[in-house]
């Protein structure tokens, strides 16, 4: 039996795989995509780490705590911030081509909500370069990859995770794998905001759904970060580095209306308010000049040209907020431990308290690498004493095969692609930047209807070979699985705090400084608070 | 607007800006069986490389026009429609030892980092292998993106042990490339691949390796060689 099964193959997964391998453990990385296609590739702005003499770890801790609005976990935040320089050094030594300043130090830029220039970067391709360097190292270490396999169910016995059923996308076969320890590192769930997100189409909350079905607790699912600057109508991100390098946000007549480097939630709300008032909002970088833009933001220059047919150095770029990052996820402690034994979660899929109510720019890459590495170190020590794993997996496999067969043979009355569009629109409008009880209840009703209707939806493509219709239906079901947790958590939190803004409860309330915990009982979602 | 995808005609009735949006329209409205890969929709995940009118492109970054013909990448087995088998990429990359072996203690300047800036932007989309004239006839050829990867670590000042990396690209590597530049033309990350390979050739010579093709060519002047059949009995 392998020591560690990692589901997902982005920055957190690869960091965990590398550290576990370096500890002599056997590792398998299973993912529905190829590793270099992971969401990590889209992180542009930077990775935080205190490496210069002008900044202190305490500053980084304070900034992160302030941004977390009382919901963060002090221990996790301290661990992450203290390890910042080690994480940067680990990546730099591995070969990540960080941009350098004139004194040959790793260059740093100041992102929103930070008191210092703390984000190390590689122009605006930071995530891409980190991801590929980790992948290169994983190849060197001969880590085993199972690509294009989508996880179906985690097998749990005696409150202990023992294995996984998964679908091989290439041939639609159900397979199983057992492992002493399982790490979920599948990324976030912004994909629920279909057509209203900067994320990859793969970010469908698969890991959160897996965990919820397996009996895990989720935390702070209502916390979704909307990025202020997505190119209007495209879901294509212009990174925060644009504002970090001195970009302005302006209305049509050129008026600035907010400090561009305030935390993302405040900036995004200010923009959305303008849009709701019927105004257009633009990113203005013209004063920075072509040379500076091409040097610091080559990717953004190209994206704007491609997707808005505009020149970043000459034109105003119309932008809008879009769902970008999910602070909520599988509830874990600092070490990634879920409430199920031998089951861990790390990265955006997890909620370990480092972001609280709002994530700071540059902290997500730091989180995935630092905690990924840490969990790879510690997760591989525990084993289980369950003796009938093979039988359990065989039973689970037969059940999944029947489910898939049923999908192929059911008659279809409703189109899930249309329902996926509806889901995205409902979430953006009703579980978006400005929420209230009425809107949230509209969304809840919509989700309950979809849950009733799912029996009438299915897979029209009946072929077994590379059936993306089947894969996308599984993804849609995953999104639906966790949608109710988000809405019920948002209803439960009758206050405004960080990224969760209730028009009907606009103040932050002291008695709400708890984690909103959700879990499944029978077929319903239960919500409670936990300090 | 009509487009042709894998020899099937589709009419796109909705306003779409790029090929990926057209494929999404076909998939969700016209043909549930169409298979293609996609991800970031912004040109960095490398999933959606295909051929448009015969030329390798990223679907998400290619404007659409009436009459476009969309096909899968060449030089790989087609799994279904636009999806080709990319499983072998892992083994191809492993051939060039793509990682820092012994970390040097040298200081890295902005200039040093710039030297590998473009190459570290490779998204492994596979367009270059599809466009490669050598790979088309010789699947043993290490090929463009793996050689870019090799270049990226050989030129990285952080690596102090480049000899084994240079050694790894001699057989079926840098000398098999005809420097036609077909890969350069299609690279969405604008990596100067041909130039990278030429520099790897130069570096190889500097480190004492020979172009084996030149060596073979030169052997014609070796008078000790027995040419076998000699009708004039010289």
């Amino acid at each position: 039996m392998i020591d560690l099964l990692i589901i997902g193959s982005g920055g957190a997964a690869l960091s965990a795989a590398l550290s576990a391998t370096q500890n002599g453990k056997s590792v398998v990385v299973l993912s529905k995509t190829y590793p270099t296609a992971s969401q990590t590739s889209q992180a542009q702005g930077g990775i935080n780490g205190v490496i210069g003499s002008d900044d202190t770890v305490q500053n980084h801790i304070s900034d992160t705590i302030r941004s977390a609005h009382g919901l963060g976990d002090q221990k996790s935040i301290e661990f992450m911030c203290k390890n910042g320089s080690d994480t940067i050094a680990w990546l730099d030594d591995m070969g990540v081509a960080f941009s350098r300043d004139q004194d040959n130090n790793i260059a740093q830029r100041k992102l929103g909500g930070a008191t210092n220039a703390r984000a190390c970067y590689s122009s605006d391709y930071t995530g891409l370069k980190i991801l590929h360097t980790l992948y290169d190292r994983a190849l060197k270490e001969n880590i085993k990859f199972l690509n294009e396999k989508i996880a179906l169910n985690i097998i749990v016995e005696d409150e202990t995770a023992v294995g996984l059923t998964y679908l091989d996308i290439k041939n639609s076969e159900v397979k199983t794998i057992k492992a002493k320890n399982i790490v979920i590192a599948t990324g976030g769930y912004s994909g629920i905001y279909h057509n209203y997100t900067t994320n990859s189409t793969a970010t469908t909350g698969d890991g959160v759904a897996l965990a919820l079905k397996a009996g895990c607790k989720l935390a702070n699912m209502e916390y979704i970060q909307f990025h202020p600057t997505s190119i209007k109508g495209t879901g294509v991100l212009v990174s925060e580095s644009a504002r970090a390098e001195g970009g302005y946000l302006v209305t049509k007549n050129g008026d600035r209306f907010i400090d561009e480097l305030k935390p993302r939630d405040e900036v995004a709300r200010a923009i959305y308010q303008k849009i709701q008032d019927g105004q257009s909002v633009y990113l203005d970088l013209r004063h920075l000049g072509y040379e500076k833009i091409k040097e610091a933001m080559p990717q953004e220059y190209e994206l704007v040209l491609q997707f808005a047919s505009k020149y970043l150095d000459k034109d105003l770029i119309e932008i809008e907020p879009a769902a970008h990052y999910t602070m909520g996820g599988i509830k874990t402690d600092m070490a990634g431990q879920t409430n199920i034994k031998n089951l861990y979660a790390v990265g955006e899929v997890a909620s370990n308290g480092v972001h609280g109510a709002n994530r700071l720019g540059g902290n997500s890459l730091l989180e995935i690498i630092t905690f990924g590495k840490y969990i790879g170190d510690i997760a591989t020590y525990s084993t289980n004493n369950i003796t009938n794993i093979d039988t359990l997996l065989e039973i689970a496999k037969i059940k999944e095969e029947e489910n898939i067969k049923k999908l192929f043979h059911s008659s279809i009355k409703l189109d899930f692609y249309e329902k996926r569009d509806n889901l995205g629109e409902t979430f953006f409008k009703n579980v978006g930047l400005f929420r209230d009880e009425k809107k949230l209840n509209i969304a809840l009703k919509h989700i309950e209807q979809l849950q009733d209707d799912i029996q009438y939806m299915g897979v029209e493509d009946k072929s077994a070979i590379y059936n993306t219709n089947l894969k996308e239906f599984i993804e849609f079901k995953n999104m639906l699985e966790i949608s109710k947790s988000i809405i019920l958590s948002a209803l439960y939190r009758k206050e405004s705090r960080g990224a969760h803004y209730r028009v009907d409860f606009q103040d932050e309330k002291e008695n709400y400084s708890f984690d909103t915990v959700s879990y499944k009982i029978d077929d319903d979602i239960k919500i409670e608070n936990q300090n | 607007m009509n487009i042709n995808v894998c020899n099937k005609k589709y009419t796109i009735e909705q306003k779409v800006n790029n090929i990926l949006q057209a494929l999404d329209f076909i998939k969700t409205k016209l043909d549930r069986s169409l298979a293609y890969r996609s991800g970031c929709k912004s040109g960095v995940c490398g999933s959606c490389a295909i051929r448009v009118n015969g030329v390798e492109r990223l679907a998400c970054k290619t404007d659409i026009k009436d009459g476009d013909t969309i096909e899968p990448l060449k030089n790989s087995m087609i799994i279904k429609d636009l999806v080709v088998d990319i499983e072998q990429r892992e083994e191809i990359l492993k051939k060039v030892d793509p990682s820092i072996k012994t970390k040097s203690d040298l200081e890295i300047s902005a200039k040093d980092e710039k030297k590998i800036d473009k190459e570290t932007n490779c998204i492994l989309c596979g367009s270059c292998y599809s466009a490669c004239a050598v790979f088309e006839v010789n699947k043993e050829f290490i090929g463009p993106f793996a050689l870019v990867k090799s270049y990226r670590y050989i030129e990285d000042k952080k690596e102090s042990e480049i000899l084994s990396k240079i050694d790894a690209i001699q057989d079926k590597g840098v000398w098999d490339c005809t420097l036609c530049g077909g890969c350069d033309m299609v690279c969405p990350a604008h990596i100067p691949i041909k130039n990278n390979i030429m520099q790897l050739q130069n570096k190889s010579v500097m480190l004492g390796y020979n172009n084996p093709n030149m060596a073979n060519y030169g052997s014609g002047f070796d008078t000790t060689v027995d040419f076998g059949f000699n009708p004039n009995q010289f």
Side-chain angles (χ1 to χ4, degrees), chain B residues 134-151:
Chain B
V134 178
F135 194 69
E136 191 170 3
V137 291
N138 179 12
K139 296 288 181 286
E140 296 284 297
F141 177 43
I142 291 175
F145 69 60
L147 290 171
V148 168
K149 190 67 86 179
S150 173
Y151 175 91

Side-chain angles (χ1 to χ4, degrees), chain A residues 344-399:
Chain A
Y344 300 80
V346 64
E348 192 176 344
V349 76
S351 181
N352 70 354
V354 281
H355 306 307
N358 191 25
R359 175 180 70 81
L360 278 183
N363 268 356
S364 64
L365 283 176
L366 176 62
E367 175 201 5
I368 62 173
I369 308 297
T370 305
F371 288 103
K373 206 164 146 260
Y374 180 53
I375 284 158
D377 275 339
I378 57 168
T380 42
Y381 292 123
S382 52
T383 54
N384 67 59
N385 302 316
I386 296 157
T387 51
N388 60 338
I389 299 173
D390 289 332
T391 316
L392 291 167
L393 290 181
E394 191 52 33
I395 293 167
K397 181 176 176 238
I398 291 167
K399 198 175 147 201

Side-chain angles (χ1 to χ4, degrees), chain A residues 21 89 104 166 212 223 251 253 271 273 286 353 397 423 438:
Chain A
T21 304
N104 298 346
Y166 64 90
L212 185 65
Y223 277 100
T251 56
N253 47 16
I271 293 170
Q273 190 61 61
R286 295 172 299 178
K397 181 176 176 238
L423 179 71
K438 197 177 153 202

Side-chain angles (χ1 to χ4, degrees), chain A residues 34 92-93 95-96 104 129 136-137 142 148 170 199 201 299 302 306 460-461 463 465 468, chain B residues 27 32 37 39 41 44 61 80 87 90 94 98-99 103 107 117 120-122 149 152-153 158:
Chain A
Y34 278 83
D92 191 47
D93 286 355
V96 173
N104 298 346
K129 297 196 195 215
D136 291 345
R137 181 55 64 102
N142 269 316
E148 301 198 315
K170 284 171 191 149
N199 280 201
T201 48
Q299 179 175 195
E302 200 171 314
Q306 177 69 41
E460 279 181 56
D461 179 7
S463 81
I465 304 299
T468 50
Chain B
K27 178 79 180 174
R32 302 291 147 83
R37 291 190 180 98
K41 59 195 185 318
V44 286
K61 286 181 83 178
K80 184 181 174 187
E87 199 63 32
E90 207 175 294
K94 279 182 183 174
S99 191
K103 167 83 175 46
E107 204 167 75
D117 182 44
T120 48
N121 283 347
C122 172
K149 190 67 86 179
R152 171 249 177 280
Y153 282 105
K158 290 174 191 163

Side-chain angles (χ1 to χ4, degrees), chain A residues 188-205:
Chain A
Y189 51 89
S190 291
I192 292 175
Y193 294 79
H194 192 72
N195 296 330
Y196 296 86
T197 173
T198 62
N199 280 201
S200 157
T201 48
T203 313
T204 50

Side-chain angles (χ1 to χ4, degrees), chain A residues 317-334:
Chain A
I317 315 304
E318 189 168 1
I319 50 91
E320 64 189 356
H324 179 64
Y325 184 89
T326 45
M327 274 78 74
I330 305 164
K331 185 171 172 53
T332 73
D333 63 9
M334 193 185 86

Side-chain angles (χ1 to χ4, degrees), chain A residues 202-475:
Chain A
T203 313
T204 50
D206 304 330
V208 184
L210 271 181
L212 185 65
K213 287 189 287 180
C216 284
K217 289 185 172 178
L218 312 180
N220 298 331
M221 289 294 286
E222 70 274 34
Y223 277 100
I224 289 123
Q225 180 174 84
F226 292 83
H227 198 286
T229 58
S230 168
I231 301 172
K232 189 175 165 39
T234 65
V236 172
L237 175 72
V238 180
S239 128
E240 190 164 308
S241 47
R243 282 170 289 130
E245 298 289 347
Y248 298 145
L249 291 167
V250 296
T251 56
K252 200 159 196 163
N253 47 16
D255 294 335
R256 289 172 70 189
F257 55 91
I258 184 154
D259 172 2
E260 287 83 359
L261 287 181
K262 282 199 158 187
R264 285 182 185 170
D265 61 322
E266 290 180 52
V267 180
R269 274 198 300 274
I271 293 170
Y272 197 61
Q273 190 61 61
K274 292 270 175 212
I275 293 172
Q276 286 206 311
D277 292 345
Q279 298 195 55
S280 298
V281 179
Y282 304 87
L283 188 62
D284 185 359
L285 267 68
R286 295 172 299 178
H287 54 287
L288 298 181
Y290 178 78
E291 288 304 323
K292 166 116 181 180
I293 290 170
K294 278 298 263 185
E295 169 69 24
M297 294 162 269
Q299 179 175 195
E300 283 153 56
Y301 184 86
E302 200 171 314
L303 289 174
V304 164
L305 187 57
Q306 177 69 41
F307 292 97
S309 303
K310 302 267 186 200
Y311 293 95
L312 208 46
D313 58 324
K314 292 181 192 145
D315 300 311
L316 289 175
I317 315 304
E318 189 168 1
I319 50 91
E320 64 189 356
H324 179 64
Y325 184 89
T326 45
M327 274 78 74
I330 305 164
K331 185 171 172 53
T332 73
D333 63 9
M334 193 185 86
Q337 178 70 59
T338 69
N339 55 299
I340 290 175
K341 208 179 150 213
N342 292 353
L343 182 61
Y344 300 80
V346 64
E348 192 176 344
V349 76
S351 181
N352 70 354
V354 281
H355 306 307
N358 191 25
R359 175 180 70 81
L360 278 183
N363 268 356
S364 64
L365 283 176
L366 176 62
E367 175 201 5
I368 62 173
I369 308 297
T370 305
F371 288 103
K373 206 164 146 260
Y374 180 53
I375 284 158
D377 275 339
I378 57 168
T380 42
Y381 292 123
S382 52
T383 54
N384 67 59
N385 302 316
I386 296 157
T387 51
N388 60 338
I389 299 173
D390 289 332
T391 316
L392 291 167
L393 290 181
E394 191 52 33
I395 293 167
K397 181 176 176 238
I398 291 167
K399 198 175 147 201
E400 291 300 343
E401 280 171 340
E402 279 168 10
N403 287 341
I404 301 289
K405 213 167 149 186
K406 243 188 259 169
L407 285 180
F408 277 127
H409 290 95
S410 61
S411 67
I412 298 159
K413 293 181 186 133
L414 294 170
D415 175 17
F416 81 86
Y417 288 118
E418 194 189 320
K419 300 294 173 192
R420 189 178 65 179
D421 286 345
N422 299 156
L423 179 71
E425 195 179 346
T426 286
F427 258 79
F428 189 70
K429 284 188 175 156
N430 300 304
V431 200
L433 289 126
F434 294 99
R435 306 166 172 180
D436 62 38
E437 182 138 348
K438 197 177 153 202
K439 284 182 175 177
L440 291 169
N441 276 319
I442 292 171
L444 183 63
K445 223 171 156 188
H446 186 146
I447 295 306
E448 286 172 344
Q449 185 65 50
L450 284 175
Q451 284 173 334
D452 287 345
D453 287 347
I454 191 97
Q455 54 180 319
Y456 305 116
M457 302 176 215
V459 180
E460 279 181 56
D461 179 7
K462 309 296 182 195
S463 81
I465 304 299
Y466 213 93
N467 188 332
T468 50
N469 191 210
L470 173 60
K471 184 197 79 161
E472 285 160 3
F473 187 63
I474 294 169
E475 291 173 332

